[in-house]
Amino acid sequence: MRLGVIADDFTGAVDIAGFLVAGGMRTVMCSRAVQTGDCDAIVMSLKIRSIPKEQAVEQALAALAFLKECGCDRFYYKYCSTFDSTAEGNIGPVSDALRQALHCSATLICPALPVNKRTVFHGYLFVNDELLSDSPMRHHPLNPMHDSKLARILSSQSPAKNGHIYHDVIKRGSDAVRQAIDGLKDEGVNNIIVDVVDDEDLACIAEATQDFTLVTGGSGLAQGITEVWRRTEKRGGNEAAFVVEKRKAVVIAGSCSAMMQKQVAYYKKLAPSLSIDEQACLDDPEYGKNIATWVLDHQDQDLAPLVYATRSPIELEENRKKFGDVDVSSAIEHLFARLTALLAEKGVQTFIVGGGETSGVVATTLGVDAYRIGAQIDPGVSWVRSLDGTYQLVLKSGNFGSEQFLLKAQEMYDGNT
Ligand SMILES: Nc1ncnc2c1ncn2[C@@H]1O[C@H](COP(=O)(O)OP(=O)(O)OP(=O)(O)O)[C@@H](O)[C@H]1O
Ligand SMILES: O=C(O)[C@@H](O)C(=O)CO
């Protein structure tokens, strides 16, 4: 088997690539068609989570064509473990398009990632001990999640037929799951939504769906898939592909997620930090340059300087009132793109980034389009390095990692674990 993954954002791509590597698969991650060489899995990192659905479908199909050319024969559409999407969102349409292109009547819908406390029960998605729609995800600036029932979210996005396999069946093992899948396929179900409360459930589901050409989900299922793969291919583990070096560095926090807020608050006590000014992002053409100068002036410290746009829900609400319809999020993304370009010009080679969209902006600006996967910092976040070795990056999903994450990442320089 050669696995081809289509990830809907950069941090999601890093997330799943880290689990594939930890599971023993030699994995290359890329954001355009490149020579991947010999490997067991290719992760194509796109930026299609929050763009118009026609464009998302087109890019996903192009990625599928590339992965097929590379000899992949199983496919995995990776989206967010918190199912980030809106009623006009892309998870349904992209799943449908991939399913149709691969001539599959049905696929799995499996966002769960139990190690990071994303679980599914009776078709409802939970984050920690709360329903998704009660969790801080309800305040997300781009994809506020107001519903937790996966079938309902999918129905608002696509006409595909949804069905469930609940936890009582999963608990009975892979034969029972296989039987349930056959039943749902006979009923014409296209999206099989699976309950998952722990890693054992993922292993059971992966076992039962070995013959699925297409699966979809968060990165959790990758753990199950690699477990089955190691057994069938009789393969062992894998070493991290490189050692992270201490170089000129910056931390860029563009996420307002609950965990990012804690990480920023913790890190601010340890390292120089600068909060960006939204108004200046909108109307000061020199702003990027000024911030770049500040970052370069703070390279003499042990820890990298932090530039952050991270705000609490109350501050975001105040901003909404203050700026009305003006697209502040895009202005911030433009600022981070400019800052990245200026810093790279001045020899900054280590970028530690928080937020999926923000990571996409940084990686695209640096022109990095193929990566090796290094050591895992926390579940779902690994160090990555451009194939040519120039840039060392952390592309962190907003909500991932422990409170000390930004420090912990830098404590791993020179092979320390
Ligand atoms: N102070 C702010 N005001 C308005 N928008 C902001 C502010 N800070 C960040 N944003 C925007 O919010 C969006 C955050 O998206 P991003 O994907 O980077 O983080 P995230 O959604 O928390 O991460 P993930 O998708 O990995 O969970 C970006 O477009 C960013 O520019
Ligand atoms: O699945 C997740 O939660 C993350 O990998 C993600 O998608 C980051 O944007």
Side-chain angles (χ1 to χ4, degrees):
M1 171 184 82
R2 184 177 258 197
L3 184 67
V5 180
I6 298 167
D8 72 351
D9 81 346
F10 279 84
T11 48
V14 177
D15 173 11
I16 190 163
F19 280 112
L20 294 173
V21 169
M25 284 187 160
R26 292 164 307 153
T27 304
V28 172
M29 183 178 124
C30 52
S31 53
R32 69 173 180 87
V34 293
Q35 290 286 351
T36 56
D38 194 20
C39 59
D40 304 307
I42 303 170
V43 178
M44 190 75 186
S45 72
L46 302 180
K47 194 169 181 295
I48 59 169
R49 184 171 293 172
S50 309
I51 63 172
K53 65 181 169 211
E54 295 75 18
Q55 290 171 29
V57 165
E58 192 185 315
Q59 290 187 38
L61 290 176
L64 176 67
F66 162 67
L67 293 170
K68 276 178 157 176
E69 262 171 43
C70 295
C72 296
D73 51 6
R74 274 199 88 188
F75 303 91
Y76 191 136
Y77 167 34
K78 158 72 181 69
Y79 41 75
C80 195
S81 62
T82 43
F83 220 67
D84 298 19
S85 54
T86 60
E88 296 76 43
N90 297 338
I91 296 180
V94 171
S95 297
D96 293 350
L98 293 174
R99 199 166 39 72
Q100 281 151 18
L102 290 164
H103 309 289
C104 305
S105 69
T107 187
L108 270 190
I109 302 287
C110 183
L113 179 57
V115 68
N116 281 352
K117 307 274 185 256
R118 274 78 155 152
T119 54
V120 176
F121 196 72
H122 280 185
Y124 287 85
L125 182 54
F126 290 81
V127 178
N128 295 312
D129 55 358
E130 294 177 308
L131 280 168
L132 172 68
S133 49
D134 291 336
S135 80
M137 282 304 296
R138 68 189 190 282
H139 300 300
H140 191 281
L142 297 180
N143 296 302
M145 299 307 291
H146 298 302
D147 198 354
S148 312
K149 182 78 176 166
L150 296 169
R152 217 158 36 213
I153 303 174
L154 284 170
S155 298
S156 70
Q157 299 174 354
S158 119
K161 186 166 174 183
N162 302 308
H164 293 93
I165 303 182
Y166 289 139
H167 198 243
D168 55 338
V169 176
I170 312 267
K171 236 174 24 195
R172 293 196 340 248
S174 54
D175 285 343
V177 174
R178 253 185 229 114
Q179 230 176 18
I181 289 172
D182 289 344
L184 290 171
K185 282 187 176 170
D186 288 346
E187 289 169 27
V189 165
N190 309 116
N191 292 325
I192 301 177
I193 301 167
V194 282
D195 280 3
V196 172
V197 303
D198 57 25
D199 289 351
E200 242 176 71
D201 296 340
L202 290 168
C204 162
I205 292 162
E207 176 88 41
T209 55
Q210 285 178 67
D211 62 338
F212 273 48
T213 308
L214 173 70
V215 294
T216 83
S219 58
L221 187 64
Q223 296 170 66
I225 288 180
T226 55
E227 213 175 297
V228 174
W229 174 84
R230 278 199 309 276
R231 224 174 29 240
T232 46
E233 306 268 329
K234 301 193 177 36
R235 293 283 196 87
N238 220 351
E239 302 240 312
F242 64 93
V243 170
V244 189
E245 294 165 6
K246 186 161 169 43
R247 302 176 182 170
K248 276 192 195 175
V250 64
V251 179
I252 297 177
S255 161
C256 298
S257 70
M259 184 43 86
M260 189 88 245
Q261 288 175 55
K262 286 190 194 163
Q263 289 162 341
V264 165
Y266 180 87
Y267 192 73
K268 269 166 69 175
K269 293 186 204 137
L270 310 174
S273 63
L274 188 150
S275 170
I276 62 109
D277 175 347
E278 287 87 344
Q279 191 70 56
C281 289
L282 290 166
D283 49 36
D284 179 357
E286 294 295 301
Y287 195 46
K289 217 159 135 192
N290 296 341
I291 297 191
T293 305
W294 179 86
V295 170
L296 295 166
D297 284 348
H298 288 86
Q299 289 299 316
D300 54 341
Q301 318 273 322
D302 247 9
L303 293 171
L306 161 71
V307 178
Y308 66 98
T310 310
R311 302 284 181 266
S312 68
I314 295 171
E315 289 168 325
L316 279 178
E317 191 47 44
E318 282 165 6
N319 271 355
R320 255 177 231 124
K321 284 187 195 136
K322 179 171 168 195
F323 294 108
D325 286 342
V326 177
D327 191 352
V328 180
S329 295
S330 292
I332 294 172
E333 289 186 21
H334 283 127
L335 170 82
F336 285 148
R338 176 103 182 99
L339 176 64
T340 301
L342 291 166
L343 292 177
E345 256 172 53
K346 297 288 180 196
V348 174
Q349 291 184 319
T350 301
F351 291 78
I352 299 172
V353 189
E357 296 294 326
T358 312
S359 295
V361 165
V362 171
T364 310
T365 305
L366 294 174
V368 180
D369 45 31
Y371 306 79
R372 287 195 197 295
I373 314 300
Q376 213 171 32
I377 306 159
D378 273 325
V381 206
S382 302
W383 274 100
V384 297
R385 196 175 73 178
S386 55
L387 273 194
D388 68 0
T390 308
Y391 295 112
Q392 312 179 125
L393 305 173
V394 174
L395 305 172
K396 187 188 82 71
S397 162
N399 263 321
F400 279 8
S402 58
E403 197 170 337
Q404 301 81 9
F405 177 88
L406 299 172
L407 169 66
K408 195 173 167 192
Q410 294 171 70
E411 285 176 342
M412 292 171 75
Y413 289 148
D414 303 324
N416 292 322
T417 47

